[in-house]
Amino acid sequence: MSTFWRYLKVQAFVLLCGIVGPIFLIIYFASGADPLMGWMFWLGLGITALDVLIALGITALGTQKAAKLAHLEQTGVLALARVVGIHETNTRINERPLVKLDLQITGPGIAPFASQDRVIASMDRLPVITSRKLVALVDPVTNDYQIDWDRSGLISGMLPATFTITEDNRTYDLTGQTEALMEILQILKAHNISLDNMVDLRANPAARQQVQEVVRRAVVQPQAPAGAAPPVSAPPVVAPQMSTAQRLQELETLRASGAISDVEYNAKRQKIIDDL
């Protein structure tokens, strides 16, 4: 969307919210510019000017955010951002809670680092946040980053991830397999292939072959030769485990912010207690 059309869209919304300014101007001029109605002119003019300034500010922020995302999409790397803490901010935006996330971010070509981010915990984002696995586009030079919610929905297991390989006459289900899906997302990004509901790689043989190798490797475990010693695997990397008190505190934060209902709160609290 161009900056001009973005501005028109925002300006129309802002004027709708601050319609009293234009109404005052219309009434003033409809009255024949009656001097007794002069206050309406100046008040309407001030409100309308404020509407324009607000729209310009929102448009500038939106354009800056879009430019940042485009830059990260071109030069950034896909990294895994593990959520190690969720905190209440006592702030709501459009009736949706704003929460603070403690993140541990790791990815190829960047040194692991910790960060905090404030995000809107909308109903579609909440399951992704509580899965504790997000995807971030990271600038490898500055460590500046932005959470990619579409890709996060895939690696968190909230969206199905099935791959059909015609040569195998089989459909593979990699839903929830974080490492394999991250590798596939990195391949798609390297080939400038956007992520949508269905990706057809037949027009890109190189990407198709790389993705197929990852899919097969993820679902087929190689068998060792007879008599050979079993391979020694490195210990898996796991996210830090929270104590019971931390889990209960996080649950209280989610309820206080309105992210979960009382029924969900009681069910989750009982599950935490049952796990003791």
Side-chain angles (χ1 to χ4, degrees):
M1 182 185 297
S2 69
T3 303
F4 176 71
W5 287 111
R6 186 192 303 273
Y7 166 74
L8 289 182
K9 182 178 179 181
V10 173
Q11 185 66 80
F13 175 76
V14 173
L15 284 176
L16 181 63
C17 296
I19 193 66
V20 65
I23 288 177
F24 279 1
L25 291 176
I26 292 172
I27 293 175
Y28 172 76
F29 287 110
S31 67
D34 186 348
L36 295 177
M37 305 290 287
W39 66 272
M40 274 196 172
F41 171 78
W42 293 110
L43 185 58
L45 185 63
I47 294 175
T48 303
L50 182 61
D51 288 343
V52 172
L53 291 176
I54 291 174
L56 287 172
I58 294 175
T59 302
L61 288 176
T63 301
Q64 183 180 7
K65 184 177 180 180
K68 175 185 175 181
L69 181 59
H71 173 72
L72 288 175
E73 194 67 48
Q74 289 293 324
T75 63
V77 298
L78 288 179
L80 181 63
R82 294 188 181 275
V83 180
V84 296
I86 304 175
H87 309 283
E88 180 185 358
T89 64
N90 296 318
T91 302
R92 301 180 74 85
I93 299 177
N94 293 332
E95 299 303 320
R96 296 175 298 178
L98 183 72
V99 298
K100 182 171 66 176
L101 304 181
D102 295 328
L103 303 174
Q104 292 288 342
I105 302 177
T106 58
I110 61 173
F113 65 96
S115 182
Q116 285 188 334
D117 205 347
R118 285 176 169 79
V119 302
I120 296 175
S122 57
M123 293 303 296
D124 57 330
R125 288 181 180 180
L126 183 59
V128 180
I129 293 172
T130 55
S131 75
R132 298 187 171 275
K133 292 179 289 186
L134 305 175
V135 175
L137 277 165
V138 183
D139 187 324
V141 178
T142 64
N143 278 356
D144 191 18
Y145 69 91
Q146 188 161 315
I147 295 174
D148 188 311
W149 293 103
D150 290 335
R151 290 182 171 110
S152 297
L154 184 65
I155 68 106
S156 66
M158 297 299 107
L159 297 177
T162 58
F163 300 83
T164 300
I165 300 180
T166 55
E167 293 86 345
D168 299 354
N169 193 27
R170 179 180 172 185
T171 296
Y172 299 89
D173 188 357
L174 268 61
T175 302
Q177 296 195 33
T178 303
E179 293 183 3
L181 291 175
M182 283 295 298
E183 189 174 353
I184 291 172
L185 288 176
Q186 288 160 356
I187 292 172
L188 296 179
K189 183 179 180 300
H191 289 272
N192 295 318
I193 300 174
S194 61
L195 181 66
D196 51 28
N197 292 333
M198 182 175 294
V199 178
D200 190 345
L201 297 178
R202 287 175 293 184
N204 195 322
R208 183 169 181 264
Q209 181 178 357
Q210 293 173 8
V211 170
Q212 286 179 348
E213 290 174 356
V214 175
V215 171
R216 291 177 177 133
R217 187 171 68 247
V219 296
V220 178
Q221 298 296 328
Q223 295 182 353
V232 179
S233 58
V237 178
V238 296
Q241 296 295 319
M242 293 193 301
S243 67
T244 300
Q246 289 174 318
R247 293 172 66 189
L248 289 171
Q249 178 59 46
E250 178 182 308
L251 192 60
E252 291 289 348
T253 297
L254 291 174
R255 183 176 70 162
S257 65
I260 59 176
S261 65
D262 288 340
V263 174
E264 293 172 316
Y265 166 81
N266 291 330
K268 291 179 182 293
R269 187 175 187 278
Q270 187 60 49
K271 185 178 186 305
I272 293 174
I273 294 174
D274 292 342
D275 290 341
L276 294 176

